[in-house]
Structures are given as C-alpha cells and as structure tokens.
Amino acid sequence: MGNKFLSSALLIIFHFLTSTSSMKLTSILTDQSALLMLKHHVLHDPQNILTANWSGSTPVCSWFGISCGSKHRRVTAINLHGLGLIGTLPPHLGNMSFLSVFSVSSNNFHGRLPVELSNLRRLKHMYFGNNSFDGEIASWIGSLTRLRSLNLSHNNFQGAIPFSLGYLPKLEILSLFENQISGPIPSSIFDISSLQRVNLRNNNLSGSIPSVSRDSVSLESIDFSNNNLVGHIPEDMFDHTPNLTGLLLSDNLLSGRIPSSLFKCKELEFLSLSYNHLEGSLAVEIGNLSTLQVSLYWSEPLSRDNTRPDWQSQEYRMVEFGI
Ligand SMILES: *[C@@H]1O[C@H](CO)[C@@H](O)[C@H](O)[C@H]1NC(C)=O
Ligand SMILES: *[C@@H]1O[C@H](CO)[C@@H](O)[C@H](O)[C@H]1NC(C)=O
Ligand SMILES: *[C@@H]1O[C@H](CO)[C@@H](O)[C@H](O)[C@H]1NC(C)=O
Ligand SMILES: *[C@@H]1O[C@H](CO)[C@@H](O)[C@H](O)[C@H]1NC(C)=O
Ligand SMILES: *[C@@H]1O[C@H](CO)[C@@H](O)[C@H](O)[C@H]1NC(C)=O
Ligand SMILES: *[C@@H]1O[C@H](CO)[C@@H](O)[C@H](O)[C@H]1NC(C)=O
Ligand SMILES: *[C@@H]1O[C@H](CO)[C@@H](O)[C@H](O)[C@H]1NC(C)=O
C-alpha cells in the first residue's frame, strides 16, 4: 500500500519534472534543429528548395514553406506540398510542439511515421497523401485530439484501421483512400460527431458497414467503394445523416435491399451502388430526391454487348423522373 503510494507520488513528480523541463527546453531552436534534421533526411530535392533556402543563416520563420505564430514565434505550419522530395520523416519533428498544419502531400516520402509525431498535441491538419509511406496506421494517431484533417491517402499503408481514430473528437476529414488497408471499418468512426467526409475507397476492407447510431448532422460524404465489404447496408444507416450529399459504395460485395432510410437524405447528390449484390428495386421516393445528380445502379457489371440486367430499367425511370 505504502509502496504503491510512494511510487505513484514519484511518478507524478517525475511527470512534473519531465513536462516542465521539456517546456523550458523547447524553443524556436528546437524547431530549427528538427527542420534541419528533416532536410538531412531528404535524400533528393529536385528543385533545390530546402538545399538553397533552409539555411542556418536566415531565420527559420522565413524559410520556404514555414509559418510561425505571431506571438510566440514558434513554427506553426510546414507546407512542403508537391516539391518532388524523396526521403523519410525524422523523429525530431515530434519536438515541434506548436505545429498545427503539417503538409508533405504529393512528394515521395517513404518509411513509417515516427511514433514521436504523437507528441504534436496541437496538430490540426495532417496532409500526408500521395507519398509512399508504409506500415500500419498507428493507433497513436488517436491521441492527436485536436486533429481536424487526417489525409493519408494514396500511400502504402497496410493493416487495420485503429479503433482509436474514433477518439478524435474534432475530426472532420478522414481520407485513407488508395492504400492496402484491410480488416473491418471500426464502428468508432461514426461516433465522431464532427466527421464531414470519410473516404476509404480502393482498399481491402472487409466486414460490414457499421451503422450510424448517433446524430451525424455534419456528415456529408461516405466513400467506401472498391473494397470487400459484405452484408446489408444497415437499415437505420441514414436516420441520422440529414446532410449527406454523397454515398459511394460501388465495387463491394454488399447484399440485401437499399434501406428506405436513404430517402431521408434530401441533400443527396451522388449515389453509387453499382457492382454489388444488392437486390430489389429503387423505391419510387428516389424521384423525390431532387438534387440527385449521379446514380449508378447496376447489380452486375455491364456485359460486353451492353445488355443490362432487368431491374436496371429503374435507371430509365430515374431518367424519366428527370433526375
Ligand atoms: C527562402 O524562401 C522564402 C519564401 O519563398 C523567400 O522569401 C526567401 O527569400 C528565400 N530565401 C533564400 C535565401 O533563398
Ligand atoms: C528532439 O527529438 C529527438 C528525437 O526524438 C531527441 O533526441 C532530442 O533530444 C529532442 N529534443 C530537442 C530539444 O531537440
Ligand atoms: C501525386 O504526386 C505526383 C508527384 O509526386 C504528382 O505528379 C501527381 O499529380 C499527384 N497526384 C495527385 C492525385 O495529387
Ligand atoms: C487528400 O490528399 C490527396 C493527395 O494529396 C488529395 O488528392 C485529396 O484531395 C485530399 N483529400 C482531402 C479530402 O483532403
Ligand atoms: C484482401 O483481403 C483478403 C481477405 O479479406 C485476402 O485474401 C487478400 O489477399 C487481400 N488482398 C490484398 C491485395 O491484400
Ligand atoms: C444539417 O441539417 C440540419 C437539419 O437536419 C441543420 O439544422 C444543420 O444546419 C445542418 N448542418 C450542416 C453542417 O449543414
Ligand atoms: C414524393 O413526391 C410526391 C409528389 O411528387 C408526393 O406526392 C409524395 O408524397 C412524396 N413522397 C415522399 C416520401 O416525400
């Protein structure tokens, strides 16, 4: 008992010491050394941007792609989008405690995301899409509680989507499309009430579509197309998504009928359910979705001679409805 008390007291003191000392020690010099370390980890810089511009003789806040906060003069944003950089991310970036926007999208960064990035407590926007990152999508991402955009699309991420992503209370954009992610879609992602767009297209996800059990008025689009999802679309899926404008579920193994709750989505513009094993016909109410623009509705791939399975006459009806 006494021992337990002592050790937790020590733990608290230790925690206090380490957190205060790291607060004291990080400064703009910490940011500078982390960025120089990033420069060092860039193996190829075809436009010589970092090589020429990220130099110790000019202030960090004036370096290309770097923004600082006006009060504290710490780096708040890194924007290295589309510079053709090849390299890896060093762990030192985790020391940039004021970083809020981190974009390295459309480069050729590879390797794993260093776990030290989990220290970036102020990070709001993580744009890492269109690179060659690999490994699993780490569960520590769930500890970046201020995150609003998580874009890891078009990389080589594998493994399952961690359940912890559902702990991101402010997440608005979750883009994981074009990776090799497998396993089920964690039901926790629809617990995020701020979620606006979720795009998991072109992966190897399996299992069924989780239901949306709480009010998700922010939810605008769901794209789960081209995966291996099975089972029915949950009957009550659309009871809580009044502002859904896009539902893209084509190229899966979904079966059963289209839930009639779908017609509660009066804002629906894009609907794609083709290449599944869905059955039945579209309810007449589809004609009441006046904003619907695109609706692909084949249960089977088009055959070569372009003959269409029977129930696609629904499509013509939709055309007749002037949708
Ligand atoms: C570095 O880039 C910034 C922003 O583009 C520019 O204002 C500055 O003149 C550049 N400095 C050098 C030394 O090239
Ligand atoms: C920053 O991070 C690296 C590696 O994660 C570490 O070795 C270093 O001591 C840290 N602190 C500072 C102040 O740079
Ligand atoms: C991906 O990045 C490459 C350069 O690395 C660029 O040419 C291409 O247009 C980008 N693609 C997308 C979809 O942004
Ligand atoms: C995510 O990143 C990719 C690649 O850079 C880009 O094409 C896409 O528009 C981004 N998506 C969102 C929702 O930000
Ligand atoms: C996709 O997942 C299935 C199991 O669900 C597996 O058999 C298959 O090899 C995976 N395909 C790829 C390309 O990873
Ligand atoms: C979503 O719809 C509700 C009504 O169902 C509306 O009050 C709200 O403003 C909408 N929210 C957004 C983010 O569009
Ligand atoms: C659909 O619209 C028709 C009129 O075009 C109306 O009679 C019907 O009640 C509407 N149905 C629903 C479910 O809103």
Side-chain angles (χ1 to χ4, degrees):
M1 184 76 186
N3 252 349
K4 220 176 183 177
F5 175 77
L6 191 67
S7 56
S8 35
L10 281 175
L11 200 70
I12 290 166
I13 292 168
F14 177 74
H15 188 78
F16 179 74
L17 283 177
T18 49
S19 57
T20 47
S21 64
S22 70
M23 271 165 67
K24 258 187 219 146
L25 284 178
T26 68
S27 68
I28 187 71
L29 291 177
T30 318
D31 294 342
Q32 184 183 36
S33 67
L35 290 171
L36 287 175
M37 203 55 83
L38 173 60
K39 176 180 169 179
H40 188 68
H41 279 67
V42 169
L43 308 171
H44 185 57
D45 176 8
Q47 303 173 60
N48 280 327
I49 287 180
L50 306 191
T51 324
N53 195 283
W54 286 22
S55 128
S57 59
T58 53
V60 182
C61 296
S62 66
W63 288 1
F64 181 90
I66 300 301
S67 310
C68 293
S70 50
K71 278 183 229 147
H72 46 70
R73 300 310 284 170
R74 292 287 305 274
V75 173
T76 53
I78 302 176
N79 179 7
L80 300 177
H81 170 84
L83 301 179
L85 305 175
I86 302 179
T88 55
L89 299 182
H92 308 74
L93 292 168
N95 292 339
M96 301 186 68
S97 41
F98 282 78
L99 197 62
S100 162
V101 181
F102 192 0
S103 171
V104 292
S105 52
S106 292
N107 283 290
N108 204 346
F109 282 97
H110 56 272
R112 292 172 186 233
L113 303 184
V115 63
E116 287 80 3
L117 298 186
S118 62
N119 297 325
L120 299 175
R121 301 292 165 166
R122 290 184 174 83
L123 198 60
K124 288 190 183 146
H125 303 282
M126 196 167 165
Y127 301 123
F128 285 9
N130 197 13
N131 279 283
S132 305
F133 290 114
D134 59 28
E136 302 216 336
I137 295 176
S139 58
W140 56 253
I141 291 178
S143 65
L144 300 172
T145 52
R146 300 202 187 164
L147 216 52
R148 290 174 189 274
S149 324
L150 176 61
N151 191 338
L152 305 179
S153 63
H154 210 305
N155 276 288
N156 299 319
F157 287 107
Q158 292 161 4
I161 299 175
F163 198 81
S164 65
L165 291 195
Y167 304 151
L168 293 168
K170 296 184 170 166
L171 196 68
E172 294 169 1
I173 301 204
L174 177 62
S175 256
L176 305 179
F177 64 88
E178 286 174 43
N179 279 287
Q180 289 109 50
I181 304 169
S182 55
I185 299 172
S187 57
S188 61
I189 65 165
F190 285 135
D191 292 338
I192 309 173
S193 59
S194 51
L195 197 64
Q196 294 172 2
R197 282 184 274 163
V198 51
N199 190 339
L200 309 179
R201 168 165 51 92
N202 291 2
N203 276 291
N204 199 9
L205 294 162
S206 54
S208 53
I209 296 177
S211 48
V212 184
S213 54
R214 56 185 279 171
D215 273 350
S216 299
V217 293
S218 311
L219 203 53
E220 288 168 15
S221 79
I222 299 174
D223 188 348
F224 293 163
S225 31
N226 206 4
N227 279 287
N228 293 323
L229 300 174
V230 297
H232 295 194
I233 304 172
E235 188 56 43
D236 56 358
M237 172 132 190
F238 310 102
D239 281 342
H240 309 284
T241 59
N243 298 318
L244 198 69
T245 59
L247 177 70
L248 308 172
L249 302 176
S250 58
D251 286 281
N252 278 290
L253 305 164
L254 299 169
S255 55
R257 292 170 166 272
I258 295 163
S260 55
S261 64
L262 179 64
F263 304 107
K264 294 182 180 171
C265 302
K266 299 294 183 207
E267 310 293 324
L268 205 60
E269 290 174 25
F270 304 100
L271 173 65
S272 176
L273 302 169
S274 48
Y275 306 111
N276 276 293
H277 305 306
L278 296 167
E279 60 194 41
S281 61
L282 268 181
V284 172
E285 284 93 332
I286 192 85
N288 290 35
L289 298 177
S290 53
T291 49
L292 197 61
Q293 288 178 15
V294 180
S295 183
L296 305 171
Y297 203 65
W298 292 281
S299 65
E300 301 291 328
L302 284 180
S303 57
R304 287 232 171 77
D305 61 359
N306 232 12
T307 56
R308 294 165 171 187
D310 255 4
W311 62 300
Q312 280 171 29
S313 55
Q314 293 290 342
E315 197 205 15
Y316 294 121
R317 265 177 51 203
M318 285 188 280
V319 173
E320 281 168 18
F321 282 153
I323 297 165

